[in-house]
Amino acid sequence: MGDKTMTAEEVVSRLASGMTLGIGGWGSRRKPMALVRTLLRSDIGDLTVVSYGGPDVGMLAAAGRIRRLVTAFVTLDSIPLEPHYRAARERGGFALTEVDEGMFQCGLRAAAQRLPFLPVRAGLGSDVMRVNPDLRTVTSPYADGETLVAMPALRLDAALVHVNRADRLGNGQYLGPDPYFDDLFCEAADAAYVSCEQIVDTAGLTKGAAPQSLLLKRLSVTGVVEAPNGAHFTSCAPEYGRDEEFQRRYATTPWPEFAARFLGADEAAYRAAVRDWRKEEERKEEER
């Protein structure tokens, strides 16, 4: 019930190499990028990452921090296949567990409910079963006798998510059109850390927004970080859209060059580097 506010650095100090880390958001939408960048500034690695992947996965893969990735896809949305993820995968940089989107959701839901697995039809009759030989099926004990996939729980040591607003107790609110599965990531984790655009008083969470927008409950949240623009360059509707121009720069720049310029010492350095880059692009446009 106490104040759960902390810095991004304090969040990362609670993480460790070898953990199973869930990252919320979807593709290149509402990813906790400020927390991911802070993680990249540490020496933490050997991670099992569980994510509907976007640049969070691409950056961690390019930096060699992932041991195994559990995902349904890795995309930048407007760029269909995340290029840094693809390059790392092609050179055999990590192991991959790839499942159907619905199976992934069921895995999170099973973990949130502290169940070993949940039955699901998705995956039957597809190559999902072939490329995941450890998956098992179960037979319904009822009259239908249906065969279903037993999707194992995706239990997480820690989860990172980003929302529009939160209070100091850990209640989190999304204001965009889609909650994704950030609540399940938090409930499936032993510790959940939420970055947000703004920390407000608890009463302020329902000013101008429906109670149904209160996605995260304080009981499933360990820490809260105020991080304005903390999803950049992914979108955080309605606060801001995806920074397509900067995303293209990320996608077309070799990782060592991108990391050297834009990771910096902290988030202030990141924002300064982005501003400097934008001014350079404006000058180039004027010269043309």
Side-chain angles (χ1 to χ4, degrees), residues 52-178:
Y52 287 105
D56 55 326
V57 169
M59 291 184 177
L60 290 168
R65 307 301 182 88
I66 300 177
R67 180 182 75 249
R68 175 173 291 276
L69 173 65
V70 182
T71 191
F73 54 76
V74 184
T75 180
L76 297 177
D77 292 318
S78 57
I79 300 173
L81 183 59
E82 218 284 358
H84 294 294
Y85 155 78
R86 180 181 61 192
R89 178 63 181 157
E90 287 176 347
R91 64 176 178 264
F94 53 88
L96 176 65
T97 298
E98 187 174 17
V99 295
D100 170 88
E101 293 174 19
M103 296 172 72
F104 190 104
Q105 177 191 0
C106 282
L108 290 176
R109 197 174 297 280
Q113 296 177 10
R114 302 303 187 266
L115 296 172
F117 70 91
L118 277 176
V120 59
R121 292 190 179 94
L124 291 171
S126 77
D127 277 349
V128 169
M129 304 301 290
R130 179 183 62 80
V131 301
N132 294 286
D134 291 338
L135 285 175
R136 298 289 182 264
T137 58
V138 292
T139 302
S140 169
Y142 298 105
D144 59 276
E146 185 176 358
T147 297
L148 301 164
V149 176
M151 179 61 198
L154 294 176
R155 188 71 191 157
L156 310 173
D157 294 312
L160 308 178
V161 306
H162 186 79
V163 295
N164 298 89
R165 300 193 299 187
D167 65 13
R168 296 177 180 276
L169 302 178
N171 298 297
Q173 180 178 52
Y174 80 103
L175 299 174
D178 198 328

Side-chain angles (χ1 to χ4, degrees), residues 13-275:
S13 73
R14 297 183 175 206
L15 306 180
S17 293
M19 278 186 165
T20 296
L21 179 66
I23 305 177
W26 179 278
S28 195
R29 309 176 211 179
R30 213 174 70 226
K31 285 289 182 175
M33 296 306 295
L35 298 181
V36 170
R37 286 188 291 267
T38 305
L39 175 59
L40 284 164
R41 296 182 189 109
S42 76
D43 60 359
I44 293 171
D46 195 36
L47 296 169
T48 295
V49 173
V50 179
S51 174
Y52 287 105
D56 55 326
V57 169
M59 291 184 177
L60 290 168
R65 307 301 182 88
I66 300 177
R67 180 182 75 249
R68 175 173 291 276
L69 173 65
V70 182
T71 191
F73 54 76
V74 184
T75 180
L76 297 177
D77 292 318
S78 57
I79 300 173
L81 183 59
E82 218 284 358
H84 294 294
Y85 155 78
R86 180 181 61 192
R89 178 63 181 157
E90 287 176 347
R91 64 176 178 264
F94 53 88
L96 176 65
T97 298
E98 187 174 17
V99 295
D100 170 88
E101 293 174 19
M103 296 172 72
F104 190 104
Q105 177 191 0
C106 282
L108 290 176
R109 197 174 297 280
Q113 296 177 10
R114 302 303 187 266
L115 296 172
F117 70 91
L118 277 176
V120 59
R121 292 190 179 94
L124 291 171
S126 77
D127 277 349
V128 169
M129 304 301 290
R130 179 183 62 80
V131 301
N132 294 286
D134 291 338
L135 285 175
R136 298 289 182 264
T137 58
V138 292
T139 302
S140 169
Y142 298 105
D144 59 276
E146 185 176 358
T147 297
L148 301 164
V149 176
M151 179 61 198
L154 294 176
R155 188 71 191 157
L156 310 173
D157 294 312
L160 308 178
V161 306
H162 186 79
V163 295
N164 298 89
R165 300 193 299 187
D167 65 13
R168 296 177 180 276
L169 302 178
N171 298 297
Q173 180 178 52
Y174 80 103
L175 299 174
D178 198 328
Y180 310 123
F181 298 102
D182 289 353
D183 53 337
L184 291 183
F185 275 98
C186 291
E187 292 166 10
D190 292 339
Y193 302 99
V194 179
S195 60
C196 63
E197 295 295 314
Q198 182 184 20
I199 290 177
V200 300
D201 292 336
T202 303
L205 290 172
T206 53
K207 287 183 179 178
Q212 294 91 328
S213 64
L214 297 177
L215 180 64
L216 307 180
K217 309 302 186 290
R218 65 179 185 269
L219 293 179
S220 62
V221 172
T222 308
V224 179
V225 178
E226 188 171 56
N229 214 37
H232 183 268
F233 52 92
T234 72
S235 62
C236 185
E239 311 281 347
Y240 47 86
R242 186 165 53 244
D243 188 339
E244 296 286 3
E245 188 177 8
F246 189 79
Q247 178 168 272
R248 284 193 295 272
R249 175 61 181 262
Y250 161 75
T252 57
T253 303
W255 171 251
E257 179 183 337
F258 183 89
R261 178 164 188 182
F262 293 107
L263 281 188
D266 54 23
E267 281 300 286
Y270 170 77
R271 291 190 293 271
V274 173
R275 286 195 300 269

